[in-house]
Amino acid sequence: MTTDLIDLRTVARDDRCLSVALAGELDVYTAGQVGPRLREIAGSGRPVIVLDLSGLLFCDSAGIDLLTRLDRHCRAAGSRLLLGDVPPLLVKSMQVLAVDRDLTFVGPGPRP
């Protein structure tokens, strides 16, 4: 799924894990665009979902809210959401909002 501001694509998949990459700007407008697809991915039945955020250029509170709701949706569906390569500014924003404690970060990027 690609629009002018956001790009969501599957990077790899097998029976246990689905890796997707989100790139561009995640804000109140684009969160509404990618949210339904991300919820569909969360319900895919795979035990692990890795969401690579290294390509995010911008993320506002609506984007952070989408990520936290996606994590809850994954847990409810019996999956584990891993946020990969989260940009430093986004990690800091998550810390300020105190949502970093509920999320799982992986990859070489900064971690809370």
Side-chain angles (χ1 to χ4, degrees):
M1 164 182 216
T2 301
T3 70
D4 290 339
L5 300 174
I6 195 82
D7 179 40
L8 176 65
R9 67 183 64 204
T10 300
V11 177
R13 73 176 83 189
D14 60 31
D15 292 341
R16 295 198 33 76
C17 182
L18 176 61
S19 297
V20 294
L22 190 60
E25 299 178 12
L26 185 57
D27 58 21
V28 67
Y29 174 71
T30 59
Q33 293 179 325
V34 297
R37 179 68 182 122
L38 286 171
R39 284 188 292 281
E40 183 181 314
I41 289 168
S44 68
R46 293 201 172 66
V48 177
I49 297 168
V50 178
L51 184 57
D52 179 351
L53 300 177
S54 63
L56 275 187
L57 303 173
F58 174 80
C59 184
D60 69 5
S61 60
I64 292 172
D65 181 61
L66 174 65
L67 296 174
T68 58
R69 285 185 290 117
L70 179 63
D71 182 68
R72 287 192 301 270
H73 192 78
C74 284
R75 290 174 195 261
S79 297
R80 183 171 180 208
L81 177 66
L82 306 176
L83 300 179
D85 297 328
V86 182
L89 187 57
L90 180 52
V91 170
K92 187 155 192 80
S93 297
M94 289 176 167
Q95 290 170 331
V96 167
L97 296 170
V99 299
D100 60 307
R101 292 175 255 162
D102 299 325
L103 301 171
T104 305
F105 298 82
V106 297
R111 296 184 191 158

